């Protein structure tokens, strides 16, 4: 698989040791084009614990997507290593990225099929996942018949299917031997998945994601440029600088879930982080 | 599509229910909120009525055909040219009926359609993998991509002399000309279809683990289907055209009598109604297959994707 290139030998799928982090980035650097050009990401060290919800926060163009693509194995780091443990990570994009030639249900079933889930179980798991995102009636709908928010929920269900989050309940052996039975919960990588939605819908999807994570074990790395969103969702918020992308600072968010994005706790911490973010951005003007 | 719309069933009423009673759990309230949002945001589409379809889609071409026939008949009746040189539609219709009562029409059309269908299928079998390789292998693409596009511009009738030298007056000549006409269209259609795939679908496929042959089967081919279908449609048009060119020139008693050969017979007999009858038949069969097979297929694929 493509990950093999970016993952070190430590990656052994389900064999991952419980003590291993879900994600470990060491000295990660990424340069596009010729060597010698300015790196997009420069020397990132980050570990994500199993079951943790980490938000990567940064201005547009700071390399968030690049970082996530490297973790997903879509892109190779120039130097450094990216290790993941547990089943193959699922990636959710800003655009829904659902296949328009399949119904909502079939999109999810395809993800299961590609993970090697046997046919008789696919439809059941797909229906269960659609119920989980409260789209039980949309199984046979095509993508274009769904609203933006519904599409992202189907995409979330597909990502869960792909990550193996769905078959922990009813299967003893993960479909491709890397199911959620190991010490590691499935890893969900989310690249500004709600950025294209209106505020009301986004708010509802925040609640939904919180609810789903309370119900199932899941490690989430969530990328966003929206400070409040990061504080609303994350247990840890990691602020990235721009050009090159480095870790500026990180915050632990100790507010209890479910939080509300309008609450004073979220607002206070957002204010602090925003100030820091602005300071980082100003620094670029001075150079 | 006709399946129960979740936005219109019980869940929506749940919103009002909780608002009035105020007893629902917060979780249930969330579900109601979500259902309400879904109901508000789901795009609704009205199906046009059958009458509207008839008025906007069927009527204009019918009017056009009737007008053309009318003008043709008027010009013929005006005797600008002698009637053996420019017969009217009624004379052509009589020529058709004459052939019909001779019982030859079915055989002639059947022969050509059979050749066209077989040649087209062969072209699909050859053009599809060719298109896939050109689309996916960069070296092949730079090497033969331009040649393939160039071939599409070459009138396939130009191949007839070469094919006759290679294969003589045989069916092989006819099929060779069809293939040379249709394969480039089909391959190019697939290449264009692959080029039009939004990159996000390819990335999503890779993330899902659809790589290699599985990627081609589950992502690449279905994603390229609209362009591929356009290529098939054009491929059929080219196959039919090439077939007529080949049949017109490759006439021999050993070969079955197709529409092209029928047209050539009309020329030899200087029988203008027969010639025009053949031309109209060629047109009707070619367009008919397009309308009966390719147009509905394309429309189905596109509407199912909301395009
Ligand atoms: N494939 C690529 N080739 C060259 N430059 C790229 C590529 N992908 C991203 N970049 C550059 O890297 C920077 C970071 O991009 P990205 O990771 O998409 O940022 P973000 O997701 O934080 O907005 C941008 O300046 C972008 O132009
Ligand atoms: Mg991005």
């Amino acid at each position: 698989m493509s990950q093999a290139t970016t993952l070190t030998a430590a990656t052994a799928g389900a064999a991952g040791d419980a003590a291993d982090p879900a994600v470990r980035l060491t000295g990660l650097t990424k340069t596009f084009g010729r060597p010698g050009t300015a790196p997009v990401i420069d020397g990132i060290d980050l570990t994500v614990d199993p079951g943790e919800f980490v938000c990567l926060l940064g201005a547009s163009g700071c390399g968030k997507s690049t970082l996530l693509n490297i973790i997903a194995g879509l892109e190779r780091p120039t130097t450094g290593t990216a290790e993941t443990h547990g089943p193959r990570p699922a990636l959710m994009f800003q655009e829904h990225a659902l296949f328009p030639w399949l119904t909502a249900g079939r999109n999810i079933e395809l993800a299961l099929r590609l993970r090697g889930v046997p046919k008789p179980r696919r439809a059941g798991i797909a229906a269960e996942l659609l119920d989980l995102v409260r789209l039980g009636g949309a199984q046979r709908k095509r993508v274009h018949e769904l609203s933006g928010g519904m599409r992202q929920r189907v995409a979330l269900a597909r990502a869960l299917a792909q990550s193996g989050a769905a078959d922990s309940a009813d299967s003893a052996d993960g479909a491709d031997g890397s199911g959620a039975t190991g010490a590691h919960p499935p890893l969900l990588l989310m690249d500004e998945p709600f950025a294209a939605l209106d505020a009301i819908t986004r708010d509802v999807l925040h609640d939904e994601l919180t609810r789903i994570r309370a119900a199932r074990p899941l490690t989430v790395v969530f990328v966003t440029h929206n400070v409040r969103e990061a504080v609303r969702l994350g247990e840890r918020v990691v602020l990235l600088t721009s050009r090159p992308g480095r870790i500026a600072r990180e915050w632990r968010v100790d507010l209890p879930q479910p939080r509300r994005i309008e609450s004073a706790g979220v607002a206070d911490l957002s204010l602090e982080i925003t100030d820091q973010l602005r300071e980082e951005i100003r620094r670029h003007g001075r150079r | 599509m006709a399946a129960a719309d979740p936005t219109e069933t019980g869940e929506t009423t749940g919103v009002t229910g909780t608002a009035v009673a105020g007893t629902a759990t917060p979780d249930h309230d969330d579900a109601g909120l979500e259902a309400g949002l879904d109901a508000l945001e789901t795009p609704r589409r009205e199906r046009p009525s059958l009458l509207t379809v008839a008025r906007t889609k069927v009527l204009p071409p019918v009017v056009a055909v009737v007008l053309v026939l009318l003008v043709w008949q008027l010009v013929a009746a005006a005797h600008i040219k002698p009637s053996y040189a420019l017969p009217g539609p009624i004379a052509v219709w009589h020529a058709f009926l004459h052939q019909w009562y001779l019982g030859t029409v079915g055989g002639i059309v059947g022969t050509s359609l059979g050749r066209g269908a077989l040649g087209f299928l062969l072209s699909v079998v050859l053009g599809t993998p060719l298109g896939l390789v050109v689309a996916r292998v960069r070296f092949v693409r730079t090497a033969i991509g331009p040649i393939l596009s160039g071939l599409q511009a070459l009138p396939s009738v130009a191949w007839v002399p070469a094919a006759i030298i290679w294969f003589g007056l045989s069916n092989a000549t006819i099929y060779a000309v069809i293939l040379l006409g249709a394969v480039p269209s089909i391959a190019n259609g697939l290449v264009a279809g692959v080029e039009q795939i939004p990159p996000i679908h390819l990335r999503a496929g890779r993330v899902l683990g659809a790589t290699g042959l599985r990627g081609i089967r589950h992502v690449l081919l279905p994603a390229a289907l609209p362009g591929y279908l356009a290529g098939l449609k054009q491929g059929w048009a080219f196959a039919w055209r090439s077939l007529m060119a080949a049949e017109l020139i490759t006439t021999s008693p050993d070969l079955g009598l197709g529409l092209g050969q029928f047209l050539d017979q009309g020329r030899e007999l200087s029988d203008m109604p027969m010639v025009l009858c053949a031309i109209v038949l060629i047109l009707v069969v070619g367009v008919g297959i397009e309308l009966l097979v390719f147009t509905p297929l394309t429309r189905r694929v596109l509407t199912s994707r909301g395009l």
Side-chain angles (χ1 to χ4, degrees):
Chain A
M1 258 314 303
S2 51
Q3 283 141 294
T5 55
T6 55
L7 303 182
T8 64
T11 302
D17 199 306
D20 287 328
V23 180
R24 190 197 330 245
L25 310 177
T26 338
L28 202 70
T29 303
K30 178 73 185 178
T31 309
F32 285 109
R34 242 176 279 147
T37 40
V40 170
I41 294 172
D42 192 17
I44 288 199
D45 295 296
L46 179 73
T47 53
V48 179
D49 291 331
E52 204 184 1
F53 196 127
V54 174
C55 287
L56 299 179
L57 180 66
S60 265
C62 78
K64 304 182 295 292
S65 296
T66 306
L67 187 59
L68 218 53
N69 286 341
I70 291 174
I71 300 174
L74 282 178
E75 205 117 42
R76 285 160 178 262
T78 308
T79 62
T81 55
E83 297 167 34
T84 61
H85 296 277
R88 181 155 52 88
L91 179 56
M92 195 177 153
F93 307 92
Q94 178 174 337
E95 316 93 284
H96 57 82
L98 296 170
F99 296 139
W101 56 90
L102 298 173
T103 60
R106 294 265 180 219
N107 263 285
I108 298 170
E109 285 180 42
L110 178 59
L112 295 169
R113 176 174 187 172
L114 290 168
R115 278 189 55 249
V117 176
K119 186 163 192 206
R121 289 182 39 224
R122 284 181 220 146
I125 299 177
E128 183 199 329
L129 282 170
L130 279 173
D131 277 339
L132 184 67
V133 295
R134 290 176 172 148
L135 281 174
Q139 184 148 15
R140 296 168 74 174
K141 296 234 173 195
R142 297 281 181 154
V143 176
H144 71 273
E145 297 174 284
L146 304 171
S147 70
M150 291 161 93
R151 288 175 197 176
Q152 278 312 59
R153 274 145 69 202
V154 177
L156 176 60
R158 183 175 74 172
L160 291 171
Q162 176 198 352
S163 71
D167 35 40
S168 51
D170 54 353
S171 86
D173 52 342
D176 52 6
S178 64
T181 51
H184 280 272
L187 174 57
L188 187 54
L189 308 172
M190 306 178 87
D191 191 357
E192 308 200 32
F194 309 140
L197 303 176
D198 64 272
I200 300 172
T201 308
R202 193 188 309 145
D203 211 23
V204 170
L205 282 178
H206 288 161
D207 294 344
E208 179 141 312
L209 185 57
T210 307
R211 179 174 58 79
I212 288 171
R213 216 179 70 88
R216 308 188 170 230
L218 207 55
T219 310
V220 184
V221 180
F222 189 104
V223 156
T224 179
H225 62 258
N226 181 332
V227 180
R228 283 187 177 227
E229 179 171 68
V231 176
R232 158 71 186 83
L233 291 171
E235 290 163 354
R236 188 151 58 105
V237 176
V238 177
L239 179 65
L240 299 174
T241 60
S242 300
R243 270 182 244 154
R246 287 192 184 126
I247 293 179
R249 219 188 124 180
E250 55 175 81
W251 289 263
R252 205 152 264 298
V253 188
D254 285 324
L255 307 164
Q257 288 281 19
R259 302 167 193 153
R260 299 207 51 168
I261 202 159
E262 306 87 353
S263 68
V266 171
D268 287 348
L269 185 52
S270 298
L271 200 63
E272 183 187 334
I273 298 177
T274 303
D275 285 344
Q276 180 98 35
L277 177 62
R278 288 186 177 171
E279 188 50 40
E280 292 296 337
I281 294 171
R282 266 189 215 109
R283 204 166 289 162
H284 283 273
R286 287 191 217 118
R287 271 195 299 208
Chain B
M1 274 128 257
D5 185 348
T7 59
E8 294 185 346
T9 50
E11 282 174 86
T12 340
T13 47
V15 180
T16 40
T18 52
V20 174
T23 51
T25 61
D27 183 62
H28 182 224
D29 196 29
D30 281 356
L33 175 64
E34 226 161 357
L37 268 182
D38 293 351
L40 287 172
E41 287 192 353
T42 307
R44 270 170 207 278
R45 275 208 205 149
E46 298 285 321
R47 254 172 185 277
S49 76
L50 220 61
L51 206 70
T52 321
V53 172
R55 198 162 38 96
T56 57
K57 295 269 162 69
V58 181
L59 197 62
V62 169
V63 168
V65 169
V66 169
L67 270 180
V68 166
L69 289 178
L70 215 68
V71 170
W72 178 8
Q73 184 63 43
L74 283 177
V75 170
H79 287 289
I80 298 167
K81 288 227 171 198
S83 62
Y84 64 82
L86 183 57
I90 295 173
V92 173
W93 175 247
H94 282 299
F96 173 76
L97 283 184
H98 176 68
Q99 292 295 329
W100 183 263
Y101 291 128
L102 284 177
T104 53
V105 176
I108 293 171
V109 171
T111 303
S112 284
L113 255 185
R115 286 172 179 158
L118 182 61
F120 176 71
L121 285 182
L122 279 175
S123 307
V124 172
V125 167
L126 289 176
T128 305
L130 180 64
L132 211 51
V133 169
V134 171
R136 294 306 285 171
V137 185
R138 185 164 301 172
F139 180 81
V140 178
R141 183 192 193 119
T142 21
I144 67 169
I147 303 174
L148 214 55
S149 314
L151 274 182
Q152 222 180 327
L154 180 72
S156 47
V157 66
W159 290 110
V160 177
I164 290 178
I165 292 172
W166 288 331
F167 304 112
L169 292 180
S170 68
N171 273 319
T173 294
I174 291 176
Y175 288 119
V177 175
I178 295 181
L179 288 181
L180 285 162
V183 168
S185 287
I186 295 172
N188 276 324
L190 185 51
V191 172
V194 171
E195 259 167 18
Q196 286 157 10
I197 300 177
I200 186 84
H201 289 157
L202 298 178
R203 284 176 62 212
R206 273 174 65 199
V207 173
L208 289 171
T211 47
L213 278 181
R214 298 206 300 175
I216 290 176
R217 170 159 174 225
H218 293 297
V219 181
L220 199 74
L221 283 180
L225 192 59
Y228 181 54
L229 276 181
L232 288 186
K233 187 167 158 178
Q234 203 191 24
W236 164 255
F238 275 60
W240 188 243
R241 215 183 281 188
S242 313
L243 172 65
M244 289 308 121
E247 282 188 345
L248 200 55
I249 299 174
T250 323
T251 52
S252 125
D254 308 337
L255 287 176
L257 183 69
L259 277 168
Q261 282 109 355
F262 176 64
L263 177 58
D264 192 56
Q265 279 184 0
R267 179 190 61 82
E268 276 181 4
L269 299 172
S270 289
D271 184 345
M272 196 59 181
M274 184 171 160
V275 166
L276 287 177
C277 172
I279 292 176
V280 171
L281 275 175
I282 291 171
L283 189 73
V284 166
V285 173
V287 173
I289 294 290
E290 200 172 303
L291 287 182
L292 289 178
V293 179
F294 293 101
T295 307
L297 206 64
T298 311
R299 186 174 320 129
R300 242 187 87 179
V301 166
L302 292 186
T303 47
S304 78
R305 295 172 187 216
L307 294 171

